[in-house]
C-alpha cells in the first residue's frame, strides 16, 4: 500500500512539474519579459520591492498550482477522468505556448495562429501520452520557471536595489532669459521611456530633443 501511495505522489509531483514548465513557457516568461522591459509601470503603480518579487512568483507558479488543483479535484471521479483532465490541461498550456511562438514568428492572422497552435498542441499531447522520454524532458525543463524569475529580478534591479543616483547641480548660463515651464498634464511618463529610463528617441524624437535642450 505504501509503495502504491508513493508512486501516486511521484506521478502527481511529475505532473505539477510539467504544468510548471509549460505555464512558465506559455505565460510566465512572456509576461515577465514584457514587464521587465517596462519597469516604470511598477513605479507608476507604486509597487514596493516585496510586491514586485511576489508579482514574479505569482505569475510563474499560480497557473501551475491552479492546474494541479483542478487535476486533484478530478481524481474524485476516477483515474480515467483524472488522466483525461491532465491531458486537457497540458493541451491548454501547449496551445498558449505555440500561439505565443507563432506570434513571435510574425504570424499575425488569427485564423492561422489558433488552428495551427491547436494542431501542434494536440501532437504534443499525443507524444506526451505515449513517450516517457518527453515527460522526463518536460520535467527537466522546469528550471525555466526559476530562470524566468531570476532574469526578471536582474531586469528589475533598478527598482529592487537602492538608488545611487545623485542630484546634479544646474547652472544657468544666461540668467537674463525668462524661464519657460511646460507641464504635460495626464501624460503617462512610462509610455515615453525606454528601458534605460530616458526618452525613447526612436519613437519620440521631439520629446527627446526637448529633453536634451531643457531641464527635464
Amino acid at each position: 500500500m505504501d509503495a502504491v501511495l508513493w508512486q501516486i505522489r511521484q506521478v502527481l509531483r511529475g505532473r505539477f512539474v510539467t504544468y510548471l514548465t509549460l505555464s512558465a513557457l506559455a505565460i510566465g516568461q512572456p509576461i515577465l519579459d514584457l514587464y521587465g522591459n517596462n519597469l516604470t509601470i511598477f513605479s507608476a503603480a507604486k509597487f514596493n520591492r516585496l510586491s514586485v518579487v511576489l508579482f514574479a512568483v505569482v505569475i510563474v507558479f499560480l497557473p501551475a498550482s491552479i492546474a494541479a488543483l483542478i487535476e486533484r479535484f478530478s481524481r474524485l471521479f476516477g483515474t480515467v477522468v483524472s488522466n483525461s483532465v491532465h491531458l486537457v490541461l497540458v493541451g491548454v498550456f501547449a496551445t498558449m505556448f505555440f500561439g505565443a511562438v507563432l506570434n513571435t514568428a510574425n504570424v499575425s492572422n488569427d485564423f492561422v495562429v489558433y488552428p495551427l497552435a491547436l494542431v501542434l498542441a494536440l501532437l504534443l499531447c499525443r507524444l506526451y501520452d505515449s513517450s516517457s522520454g518527453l515527460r522526463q524532458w518536460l520535467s527537466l525543463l522546469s528550471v525555466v520557471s526559476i530562470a524566468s524569475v531570476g532574469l526578471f529580478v536582474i531586469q528589475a534591479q533598478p527598482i529592487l536595489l537602492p538608488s545611487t543616483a545623485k542630484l546634479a547641480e544646474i547652472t544657468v548660463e544666461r540668467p537674463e532669459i525668462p524661464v519657460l515651464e511646460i507641464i504635460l498634464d495626464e501624460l503617462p511618463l512610462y509610455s515615453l521611456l525606454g528601458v534605460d529610463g530616458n526618452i525613447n528617441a526612436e519613437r519620440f524624437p521631439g520629446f527627446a530633443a526637448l529633453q536634451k535642450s531643457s531641464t527635464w
Side-chain angles (χ1 to χ4, degrees), residues 15 74-75 77-84:
R15 289 182 174 183
S74 69
R75 290 178 59 202
F77 304 96
T79 304
V80 175
V81 174
S82 176
N83 292 337
S84 299

Side-chain angles (χ1 to χ4, degrees), residues 165-169:
K166 297 181 180 180
L167 294 178
E169 295 183 1

